[in-house]
Amino acid sequence: LTGFSQFCTINVSADSSAEFPDRVSLMEVRLQAQEDEITLLKSSLADALRRIRLHDQLLPILKQQLICLYVDIQPVFTWKLTLISVLWCSRVRRNSEKLGNPERQRKRLDKKAASSANLLTRQSIKMFIRGRPITMYIPSNIQNYEDLKMEPPSERLELDWVYGYRGRDCRANLYFLPSGEAVYFIACVVVLYHINNRTQRHYRKHTDCVRCLTLHPDKVRVASGQTAGVDKDGKPLQPCVHIWDSTTLVTLQQIGLGTFQRGVASVAFSVADSGAFLCVIDDSNEHMLSVWDCNKGTKHAEVKSTNEAVFAVDFNPSDSTNIITCGKSHVYFWTLNTGQFTKKQGIFGKYKKPKFIQCFVFSLTGDVLTGDSEGNILTWGKSAADVKTLGKGAKETFQIMRQTRAHEGSVFTLCTLQGGGLLSGGGKDRKIIRWSADLAPERECEIPEKYGAVRTIADVDGEELLVGTTRNAVLRGTFSDGFVAIVQGHVDEMWGLATHPSQNIFLTCGHDRQVCLWNTEEHKLDWCITLEEYGLCAGFCPNGSVVSVGLSTGRWMVLDLLTREVVSESTDGNEQLSVMRYSPDGSFLAVGSHDNFIYIYNVTESGRRYTRFGKCNGHSSFITHLDWSKDGKYIMSNSGDYEILYWDIAAGCKLLRNRYESKDREWASYTCVLGFHVMGVWLEGSDGTDINALCRSHSERVVAVADDFCKVHLFQYPCPKPKAPSHKYDGHGSHVTNVCFTHSDSHLLSMGGKDTCILQWRVMGGGSGDSRERLGSVSASSTSTNSPEPATS
Ligand SMILES: *[C@@H]1O[C@H](CO)[C@@H](O)[C@H](O)[C@H]1NC(C)=O
Ligand SMILES: *[C@@H]1O[C@H](CO)[C@@H](O)[C@H](O)[C@H]1NC(C)=O
Ligand SMILES: *[C@@H]1O[C@H](CO)[C@@H](O)[C@H](O)[C@H]1NC(C)=O
């Protein structure tokens, strides 16, 4: 069980593992469920033990208070004597001592008796996750919990920037528009990036991951296809293709709802008739090939193409009844006649049949050129029927006219140039080669290794090129000057995210072992280093000169932001680390681990020297989240079995057994997903892993939430009542793993796990001021709030 980390069965679109045997996944689900149960049982046991210990400690106090009870308020409280009521009683007693007027006091208590049940529940609220009660104690300044009204926040988010490009597992997905924009996609967003102005626009009508993209011959309309995905209850949604206007971002057609299965793998517009038709290959087992009327949005024809993987589809530019598909060991030539398809296989004859035909283009002379996994470009032509050997009635065939050796490894992409030339991109040699119209090599260059292989090429002006790479980068450059990255991203699941305490920068880390520093103002990657193990969490020291990164093996390292050097390094346990958090004054570092412990370090020399101070021992499951109190003395922590524990660090990392006493503590940050102040972020029937991360703004006005259903939510802070209203934001195509506000709350960053996408949101509206004015100082710890309710006579 990796709990909070592994619950996105929602969207496996990042891998094409659709063929996974159902039984195995069923078993995995069952195993997971059993493991979950074991974790729960363990934690219940630990909880019970803790309660027994608590009970033992409280027994003497209890006895004392029983006397108090019988003296003071016997008629009211003898009916129920739970621990909670005793605690409450002790408060009443304190208050009554203050009041010192027995007559008035009796009256008050009588009044209270009328609603004694109500009073008792008001001390704490129980929330249930998987049937397990989690008690939240109400801060003393909340007088009327029942009357609290939850509103959505006045703040809103606007998508400001999208970091990343999906080159890892998608093809032919980068085009250059006459507007000067590159168009590509990542997660559910199609990005229009102006390569000179360095501005972005976003097409955001897709409801799940975009998988393919093509440009209309008018160079304005764009078609983009998405995966099916599932809704919140796991019900499959329908995949579709959107045709939209790239100048206005208006959706013109939505095609294929109810027709396509699983997802849309490949799309192309016809050319001969000015783009009247769109052909589509879907992700079903049969890889249905369909042709659509673009203007009406109606289906023209449909056929099962093959059970093998299909990589590309396109119309013959001079004849729209002619369609070609290619994929695993095949290239098919289709003819569409009065709504009926006929298929002809390309015949390899004496040539070795390649494992994959990765791509194809039409040359200006009308030949079909394919690029394959053998590194060859094959030129295909039509041969007259071979009547001599095949007999009368034999039909014409498609055969290889010429084989041109192009790349070591696969030819991943082919791109025709205006003047008849051709570009090819290599999957292994990372080369881009320019060929003359008669396939003589003219120029070549190699893209730097860190960007991976050439995924796709877009011609900007015949000289300048855009290159999408398999390591999710978009490069810009020429054969003469080489290439620089204009878009970069992670290439594997990411969890670690931290914003700088005083500058507009943030740090991310992921399973790709990369640690990257980004600039939110300039929208760019400052630097990226590769570690030996992968990072899962990060935290800046309050001074901002160093950042610590927690790794998958229990190791953690502290990096100097300027030199990128490791200034300190340590290992705690041998399991993955989940939180790195400095105390507000930077004198301590708390390291939360999957080995159930929180390790505490003394920090000196502005974050350069670390000495072990202690260890918080008491959680019965892995640490998921933790926060420091504002005074830097206490920690609040959550674990994989939904525990909320409090620790007195100054007193030697002591577990505070009486959680009630921590109810008024103020927290320097709020990232714990379980807590009174954020109870409202949970949905009914949640399995407790639905919320991966949470972050309170520095203004303490709002809470951002990263959920397992690809959504980012914005709630008012505090939101202590169930089902609090929120604003919901789409864009991610995978479980959102983390959210973080920038130091000034001007932006929020969110990170999709498998979609490898970082979204930067502008925080709009809201105005200034403090949430405390709204809800009567929920987090304040003023003692005056201990006074009894005002007399209402
Ligand atoms: C790009 O910048 C130029 C010059 O500032 C401006 O005229 C143009 O409208 C901008 N284009 C876009 C798409 O932002
Ligand atoms: C952080 O501490 C270092 C080392 O003492 C110091 O050089 C640097 O100026 C400090 N940075 C800030 C932002 O205070
Ligand atoms: C760590 O910090 C605590 C509390 O500030 C202090 O008492 C202790 O001496 C420190 N230990 C070290 C080794 O610096």
Side-chain angles (χ1 to χ4, degrees), residues 530-601:
T530 305
L531 306 176
E532 284 157 41
E533 300 136 33
Y534 63 84
L536 289 147
C537 50
F540 282 93
C541 91
N543 158 297
S545 56
V546 300
V547 63
S548 60
V549 181
L551 308 182
S552 57
T553 54
R555 210 171 127 208
W556 53 271
M557 43 183 48
V558 181
L559 301 171
D560 183 303
L561 228 49
L562 290 177
T563 64
R564 299 170 220 174
E565 272 164 13
V566 177
V567 296
S568 183
E569 208 183 326
S570 194
T571 302
D572 285 308
N574 53 10
E575 296 194 44
Q576 73 181 56
L577 301 180
S578 41
V579 199
M580 305 295 289
R581 201 172 303 287
Y582 288 89
S583 63
D585 68 356
S587 61
F588 288 112
L589 171 68
V591 180
S593 168
H594 268 225
D595 70 5
N596 305 0
F597 299 125
I598 302 166
Y599 300 90
I600 307 292
Y601 282 81

Side-chain angles (χ1 to χ4, degrees), residues 121-141:
T121 56
R122 275 225 241 122
Q123 292 305 300
S124 66
I125 300 294
K126 275 196 174 59
M127 123 177 206
F128 290 85
I129 289 185
R130 295 195 155 190
R132 182 177 175 193
I134 303 167
T135 304
M136 317 265 185
Y137 294 97
I138 302 178
S140 29
N141 56 336

Side-chain angles (χ1 to χ4, degrees), residues 646-662:
Y646 299 93
W647 309 88
D648 187 338
I649 301 304
C653 304
K654 207 174 100 222
L655 173 64
L656 296 172
R657 297 195 183 279
N658 187 347
R659 296 202 294 120
Y660 176 82
E661 283 169 3
S662 291

Side-chain angles (χ1 to χ4, degrees), residues 714-732:
L714 199 65
F715 289 89
Q716 203 180 55
Y717 177 87
C719 52
K721 294 194 87 167
K723 290 188 275 179
S726 71
H727 301 306
K728 298 174 189 64
Y729 298 95
D730 300 314
H732 284 293

Side-chain angles (χ1 to χ4, degrees), residues 388-404:
K388 228 190 262 166
T389 51
L390 294 176
K392 247 193 358 208
K395 302 231 171 80
E396 57 180 18
T397 56
F398 290 91
Q399 298 198 352
I400 297 164
M401 317 295 283
R402 182 176 170 193
Q403 174 178 295
T404 309

Side-chain angles (χ1 to χ4, degrees), residues 500-503 541-546 605-608:
H500 191 277
S502 57
Q503 295 170 29
C541 91
N543 158 297
S545 56
V546 300
E605 296 171 26
S606 301
R608 286 166 184 271

